[in-house]
Amino acid sequence: MCGIVGVVSNAPVNQLLYDALLLLQHRGQDAAGIVTLLERKFFMHKAKGMVRDVFRTRNMRGLPGDVGLGQVRYPTAGNAYSEEEAQPFYVNAPFGIVLVHNGNLTNAHALRTELFSTDHRHTNTESDSEVLLNVLAHELDRATRGGLLNSATVFEAVRNTQRRLRGSYAVVALIAGHGLLAFRDPYGIRPLAMGRGADGTVMVASESVALEGSGHVFERNIAPGEAVFVDLQGQVHSEQCADSPTLNPCIFEFVYLARPDSVLDGISVYQARLNLGETLAKRVVSTVPPSEIDVIIPIPESSRPSATQLAHLLGVPYREGFVKNRYVGRTFIMPGQGVRKKSVRQKLNVIASEFKGRNVLLVDDSIVRGTTSREIVQMARDAGARKVYLASAAPPVRYPNVYGIDMPTKDELVAHDRTVEQIRELIGCDALIYQDVDAMKRAIGSLNPKLDGFDASCFDGVYVTGDIDTEAISRMNGNRPRIEETGEDSSRLALPNLAE
């Protein structure tokens, strides 16, 4: 899960890239980086940390140029604590290329061997993004054959790159002296949108909110398998580079990852979450009579739209029962479960009057590990709740995600190989209500009938790329983000219920 952006303009782009990355900060908080292009020279600054901490005035002054790209990173492969694995990545040949990537290559291990033995290219990190960059560089070298680069040779290189890659990828790259390249995997798993400014600036970004929030007009989504090349004069060239593209976006984007004010692949994220609340209402009624619920309380932030719709349909008061401290670090990067538990208490505080003596229905966007859910249920009881029910706007997360979300291994997922009743006992609530998988797909899919389907693999175990089996998952788990020589807990949860 990362956020990426690229810009071709006729004015300096450093501030514009900074602003866009702030709008995408929810997609990655471990590291940030910007590269700008002035004539044929790249200027780069990247470091671990959030955007506001990585870029100071002196750093911004060192990023001249009218073309650039940036990324906010949440690592899903390699070493989570390595400064070297912060993006963008750079290679000097051919031409000079820098690249940012959102997604996860499922055949990175095989490609790394190919690059060394066949393409004679060196990778210096465990990042699959560096692998992707070197595959693209090799194919650009082959396509140009030492000659000139134009849109036709760029698209030939992307076409050959796509044939070698497996997994999910939304990519933005700069080619020194030529322009900006963006492309998306043939299944459209990770999002990528394009827009324009009034001054002719062309921007591509992970979410529409980055375009609109920086003064650009959303134009369209980049299609699955499509490549877009924007030359230095701002002329846009595009071509379909995949053999059989289909649109199967990651359904977790709508459940949790994306900002509610974004529109992804023609679907309003906010409306998708309202729809999930509507379908969840039917599940709640079949489990707990609305007359036994005194109040509905969301667990901030992503669950709010679903909770409001649920309360409206059940005719039960909606209340805010938790206050979130936005200045505490994300709970899932804390070392060890003891610190994680303490961090949840620091990050959320209860409004006791909303719980005392009441039967409370808590609504969350999803339940992954269950650790946070158990702690929140206990917080509600400590605040005086008579009964605590818990509803998840998403179905049980039973399978690992391999397409760019650092889900735990299956044994770390609270729902893996457990019944709902067993999960309820572990979490400690009086009733546990999950969304239905098919109902979730219908609720979101109805907002864009042109979709071919979804990647909902963490819920249904169906991996749309067709190349994932138990062995592949085990191999990729071996390359999950590592925390080296610190004694810290490396079993990171990428999608906590409180991560926004």
Side-chain angles (χ1 to χ4, degrees), residues 302-321:
S302 304
S303 63
R304 282 193 173 116
S306 297
T308 55
Q309 188 74 340
L310 178 61
H312 171 71
L313 291 171
L314 297 186
V316 175
Y318 170 95
R319 293 289 186 270
E320 293 287 341

Side-chain angles (χ1 to χ4, degrees), residues 353-367:
S353 59
E354 296 300 332
F355 293 89
K356 191 171 183 179
R358 291 176 170 175
N359 294 342
V360 177
L361 174 61
L362 303 179
V363 180
D364 212 340
D365 52 71
S366 57
I367 301 169

Side-chain angles (χ1 to χ4, degrees), residues 8 151 155 180 194-196 200-204 219-220 222 226-239:
V8 175
S151 60
F155 295 144
L180 180 146
M194 182 170 69
R196 294 179 189 265
T201 295
V202 179
M203 176 184 280
V204 293
E219 194 169 88
R220 67 182 182 87
I222 293 177
E226 181 185 17
V228 172
F229 179 65
V230 187
D231 62 33
L232 297 180
Q233 290 70 49
Q235 295 296 311
V236 177
H237 313 265
S238 63
E239 189 169 307

Side-chain angles (χ1 to χ4, degrees), residues 25-249:
Q25 185 74 86
H26 61 287
R27 299 189 67 87
Q29 300 172 20
D30 278 26
I34 290 176
V35 166
T36 57
L37 175 65
L38 181 63
E39 296 177 350
R40 290 182 180 272
K41 186 174 181 181
F42 291 128
F43 297 83
M44 181 188 299
H45 179 68
K46 61 180 181 176
K48 285 189 62 60
M50 297 178 65
V51 174
R52 67 182 181 226
D53 301 318
V54 169
F55 298 101
R56 302 296 186 179
T57 301
R58 65 182 179 274
N59 307 128
M60 298 295 283
R61 287 175 179 161
L63 295 169
D66 298 350
V67 182
L69 52 70
Q71 193 223 35
V72 286
R73 179 186 187 230
Y74 185 79
T76 58
N79 188 338
Y81 274 59
S82 170
E83 290 270 357
E84 293 181 359
E85 295 193 14
Q87 296 188 35
F89 278 105
Y90 164 75
V91 291
N92 71 337
F95 308 108
I97 307 167
V98 289
L99 175 145
V100 289
H101 164 218
N102 175 32
N104 200 45
L105 300 185
T106 57
N107 65 334
H109 178 78
L111 284 172
R112 190 173 281 108
T113 302
E114 250 179 54
L115 284 169
F116 179 78
S117 61
T118 305
D119 300 343
H120 302 157
R121 298 189 71 93
H122 173 69
T123 57
N124 204 48
T125 72
E126 295 302 310
S127 172
D128 62 333
S129 301
E130 189 188 17
V131 170
L132 196 160
L133 171 59
N134 276 274
V135 172
L136 175 63
H138 180 76
E139 296 303 335
L140 275 169
D141 195 33
R142 288 181 58 202
T144 54
R145 297 175 181 84
L148 298 175
L149 180 143
N150 53 38
S151 60
T153 53
V154 168
F155 295 144
E156 180 185 346
V158 173
R159 193 173 294 109
N160 290 328
T161 298
Q162 300 240 33
R163 288 170 180 156
R164 296 178 67 179
L165 304 182
R166 297 290 181 272
S168 67
Y169 46 91
V171 173
V172 181
L174 293 182
I175 306 171
H178 291 89
L180 180 146
L181 169 65
F183 59 95
R184 195 175 176 194
D185 72 70
Y187 298 92
I189 298 171
R190 301 261 76 88
L192 197 58
M194 182 170 69
R196 294 179 189 265
D199 61 353
T201 295
V202 179
M203 176 184 280
V204 293
S206 293
E207 294 185 32
S208 63
V209 68
L211 304 170
E212 296 159 354
S214 59
H216 296 76
V217 176
F218 169 80
E219 194 169 88
R220 67 182 182 87
N221 297 287
I222 293 177
E226 181 185 17
V228 172
F229 179 65
V230 187
D231 62 33
L232 297 180
Q233 290 70 49
Q235 295 296 311
V236 177
H237 313 265
S238 63
E239 189 169 307
Q240 177 55 251
C241 295
D243 297 327
S244 302
T246 60
L247 182 54
N248 294 268

Side-chain angles (χ1 to χ4, degrees), residues 325-346:
N325 182 352
R326 298 180 180 276
Y327 304 100
V328 174
R330 298 175 73 165
T331 59
F332 63 97
I333 64 173
M334 300 301 179
Q337 292 298 314
V339 178
R340 186 193 309 276
K341 180 177 179 179
K342 179 182 176 183
S343 180
V344 173
R345 296 267 180 169
Q346 289 176 332

Side-chain angles (χ1 to χ4, degrees), residues 180-452:
L180 180 146
L181 169 65
F183 59 95
R184 195 175 176 194
D185 72 70
Y187 298 92
I189 298 171
R190 301 261 76 88
L192 197 58
M194 182 170 69
R196 294 179 189 265
D199 61 353
T201 295
V202 179
M203 176 184 280
V204 293
S206 293
E207 294 185 32
S208 63
V209 68
L211 304 170
E212 296 159 354
S214 59
H216 296 76
V217 176
F218 169 80
E219 194 169 88
R220 67 182 182 87
N221 297 287
I222 293 177
E226 181 185 17
V228 172
F229 179 65
V230 187
D231 62 33
L232 297 180
Q233 290 70 49
Q235 295 296 311
V236 177
H237 313 265
S238 63
E239 189 169 307
Q240 177 55 251
C241 295
D243 297 327
S244 302
T246 60
L247 182 54
N248 294 268
C250 173
I251 205 164
F252 223 99
E253 291 280 356
F254 304 98
V255 169
Y256 169 77
L257 292 179
R259 270 182 47 158
D261 45 345
S262 281
V263 177
L264 306 181
D265 291 312
I267 296 175
S268 160
V269 175
Y270 182 74
Q271 186 60 55
R273 291 174 186 171
L274 288 176
N275 286 11
L276 289 175
E278 185 172 334
T279 56
L280 183 60
K282 300 172 185 175
R283 304 281 290 186
V284 171
V285 169
S286 67
T287 307
V288 180
S291 60
E292 294 184 15
I293 304 170
D294 296 318
V295 64
I296 290 176
I297 295 176
I299 299 173
E301 305 272 351
S302 304
S303 63
R304 282 193 173 116
S306 297
T308 55
Q309 188 74 340
L310 178 61
H312 171 71
L313 291 171
L314 297 186
V316 175
Y318 170 95
R319 293 289 186 270
E320 293 287 341
F322 295 99
V323 177
K324 185 175 181 182
N325 182 352
R326 298 180 180 276
Y327 304 100
V328 174
R330 298 175 73 165
T331 59
F332 63 97
I333 64 173
M334 300 301 179
Q337 292 298 314
V339 178
R340 186 193 309 276
K341 180 177 179 179
K342 179 182 176 183
S343 180
V344 173
R345 296 267 180 169
Q346 289 176 332
K347 193 162 190 173
L348 280 187
N349 191 43
V350 297
I351 303 173
S353 59
E354 296 300 332
F355 293 89
K356 191 171 183 179
R358 291 176 170 175
N359 294 342
V360 177
L361 174 61
L362 303 179
V363 180
D364 212 340
D365 52 71
S366 57
I367 301 169
V368 182
R369 191 193 299 270
T371 309
T372 301
S373 300
R374 183 169 60 248
E375 182 67 12
I376 290 172
V377 167
Q378 188 58 49
M379 289 169 67
R381 294 198 189 282
D382 293 345
R386 188 166 58 243
K387 287 190 175 181
V388 182
Y389 310 121
L390 178 62
S392 169
V397 177
R398 299 190 184 279
Y399 307 93
N401 183 289
V402 300
Y403 297 127
I405 305 172
D406 185 26
M407 286 282 190
T409 61
K410 64 182 182 180
D411 293 333
E412 297 174 90
L413 298 169
V414 69
H416 180 73
D417 277 349
R418 288 191 179 98
T419 65
V420 172
E421 176 58 21
Q422 289 171 328
I423 301 167
R424 184 199 66 76
E425 290 178 357
L426 281 171
I427 291 174
C429 51
D430 294 290
L432 176 61
I433 304 100
Y434 274 110
Q435 181 76 260
D436 176 73
V437 175
D438 290 335
M440 173 188 66
K441 292 178 181 179
R442 288 193 300 270
I444 301 176
S446 64
L447 299 173
N448 184 0
K450 294 182 180 179
L451 265 62
D452 295 294

